[in-house]
Amino acid sequence: MSVRSKLASFDNDIDFPRLWRIGAVVSLVLLLLSGGALVGRGLNLGIDFEGGTAWEVQAPDASVADAREVLTPLGLGNAKIQFVGGDNLRVQAEPGDDAGLAEVTVALAELAGADRTDVAISTVGPTWGDEILEKAQRALIVFFVLIAAYIAVRLEWKMAVGALAAVVHDILIVIGFYAVFQLEVTPATVIAILTIMGYSLYDTIVVFDKAQANAERPALAQKMNYTDLMSLSLNQVLMRSINTSITSLLPVLSMLFVGSFLLGAVTLQEFAYALAVGLGIGAYSSIFVATPIVAWLKEREPQQQNLRQRLEAQSARRTGQPVAATVSPSEPRPAGTAPLLSGRVIPPRPRKKGKRR
């Protein structure tokens, strides 16, 4: 049976605990790259956050060096100059007086070979960006509190920890992506990041809900430890996660490539970049960040440790191998577990046969 057929029939048996180790290395590398880029390069904040005046004009035959050469005599040699969407020249600088704005507008129009009215001008104060950031931070805190309370009540608090860790992981990597490639951070980027949090949690909750359902089935919960139970649950919902991710990514990629690159709708780029990266990272973190954290926390429970020891003892009896002592004989052992002697489990004494009548 092919891999696709196995996924479609939920008959796949991927060893996720082995892949979690690889995922931990990948996540660590991505987080280090994101942190290094944030510290070393910082974020390319848009005019909405820094404040100032921005000029935009179509200039297909100009370059950044040409624009800087034109602006330097006007006292704007250090202005932020970039091309957005291929040939759309954008200049961002501190706000000046009306005469200065007019001089820059005329200079850019001559550089682009366009009419003066073709140059778009926008002026934004820095307080507007501060208000957006403040509201976004407030929304983020409320979101974390509410979602943690909901998951703790609906499922359990260990799953809330895993889900929130995955969301933080996703946000840091998306912000690091913007820092590495120096993409402009706009209010649309903030909205996209808030959207990513919802999607990342949706994929994670699907996995956790399946694991919770499997844990409530004694036929499964008593035959495998929690790590294997989580791996089984991931295999059962993997095809659903793949389908959800693909169907969510297709319209975002269409918006990015068709809308931005082909049709020139550059205002969609900031939103589409964050969504595309966030959707991919969200699908990844639900499998390689949230679930291993929950499995690690659950394996520390005394009930799960007893179950693991019992399963190891049963496996050893079937294979005839001695059982490795996972708990020191000098340590108090939980009630209900078989006693250990030199690392081996003492088999139960056989029942005496009664007298025949």
Side-chain angles (χ1 to χ4, degrees):
M1 185 180 291
S2 65
V3 175
R4 185 178 178 280
S5 300
K6 285 186 175 182
L7 289 173
S9 62
F10 303 100
D11 193 27
N12 45 302
D13 52 354
I14 300 174
D15 184 9
F16 280 103
R18 184 176 61 84
L19 298 178
W20 287 344
R21 302 187 189 97
I22 302 173
V25 176
V26 172
S27 293
L28 181 62
V29 171
L30 291 177
L31 289 174
L32 288 176
L33 285 175
S34 299
L38 280 173
V39 174
R41 309 188 68 179
L43 288 173
N44 178 19
L45 297 176
I47 187 175
D48 299 304
F49 296 100
E50 289 189 330
T53 302
W55 294 264
E56 288 191 17
V57 63
Q58 293 284 332
D61 298 327
S63 64
V64 173
D66 296 335
R68 196 171 300 283
E69 184 178 355
V70 168
L71 294 173
T72 299
L74 303 177
L76 298 180
N78 295 324
K80 185 187 294 182
I81 304 172
Q82 61 184 142
F83 279 89
V84 183
D87 55 359
N88 193 31
L89 175 63
R90 177 185 294 174
V91 177
Q92 183 177 336
E94 294 293 331
D97 54 16
D98 293 340
L101 291 177
E103 289 179 354
V104 174
T105 303
V106 171
L108 292 177
E110 292 177 353
L111 175 66
D115 190 77
R116 178 177 176 176
T117 56
D118 295 331
V119 181
I121 306 173
S122 56
T123 302
V124 179
T127 55
W128 194 75
D130 294 339
E131 291 178 3
I132 292 180
L133 278 180
E134 184 182 351
K135 291 180 180 177
Q137 292 170 356
R138 197 180 307 164
L140 197 63
I141 293 172
V142 172
F143 171 83
F144 275 121
V145 171
L146 291 180
I147 204 66
Y150 173 76
I151 297 176
V153 172
R154 173 62 179 82
L155 300 170
E156 61 176 296
W157 70 267
K158 295 182 177 68
M159 291 183 174
V161 172
L164 294 184
V167 172
V168 173
H169 167 275
D170 298 345
I171 293 175
L172 290 177
I173 290 180
V174 171
I175 294 176
F177 177 82
Y178 269 71
V180 169
F181 294 99
Q182 287 294 291
L183 299 175
E184 187 175 19
V185 178
T186 65
T189 309
V190 177
I191 296 171
I193 290 175
L194 294 175
T195 307
I196 290 166
M197 293 191 299
Y199 177 81
S200 175
L201 278 172
Y202 170 77
D203 217 22
T204 302
I205 294 297
V206 169
V207 179
F208 286 172
D209 187 64
K210 189 64 180 178
Q212 187 83 347
N214 286 334
E216 293 174 355
R217 297 170 58 187
L220 283 177
Q222 297 301 318
K223 290 183 178 179
M224 59 181 64
N225 56 52
Y226 198 86
T227 301
D228 293 337
L229 186 73
M230 188 63 87
S231 180
L232 173 67
S233 305
L234 279 172
N235 277 291
Q236 291 172 332
V237 301
L238 181 62
M239 193 62 197
R240 178 178 177 177
S241 296
I242 292 174
N243 287 334
T244 306
S245 302
I246 291 175
T247 52
S248 301
L249 272 173
L250 283 177
V252 176
L253 293 178
S254 300
M255 182 169 61
L256 182 62
F257 290 102
V258 178
S260 301
F261 297 143
L262 297 183
L263 301 181
V266 294
T267 54
L268 297 177
Q269 276 190 2
E270 297 88 4
F271 189 75
Y273 276 135
L275 272 184
V277 176
L279 289 176
I281 292 296
Y284 164 85
S285 67
S286 64
I287 298 174
F288 295 101
V289 177
T291 48
I293 288 176
V294 174
W296 185 83
L297 291 174
K298 292 288 290 185
E299 290 286 359
R300 266 66 192 165
E301 295 179 354
Q303 181 183 358
Q304 291 297 326
Q305 292 180 354
N306 293 342
L307 176 62
R308 177 178 285 275
Q309 291 173 10
R310 182 170 61 79
L311 294 174
E312 290 175 354
Q314 291 176 352
S315 176
R317 279 199 292 271
R318 285 195 297 269
T319 59
Q321 298 294 327
V323 181
T326 55
V327 178
S328 173
S330 60
E331 297 179 0
R333 292 177 54 74
T337 58
L340 296 176
L341 180 62
S342 302
R344 294 181 301 168
V345 175
I346 301 174
R349 180 178 296 176
R351 291 184 178 179
K352 293 182 179 180
K353 296 182 179 179
K355 293 182 180 179
R356 294 183 179 178
R357 297 180 179 178

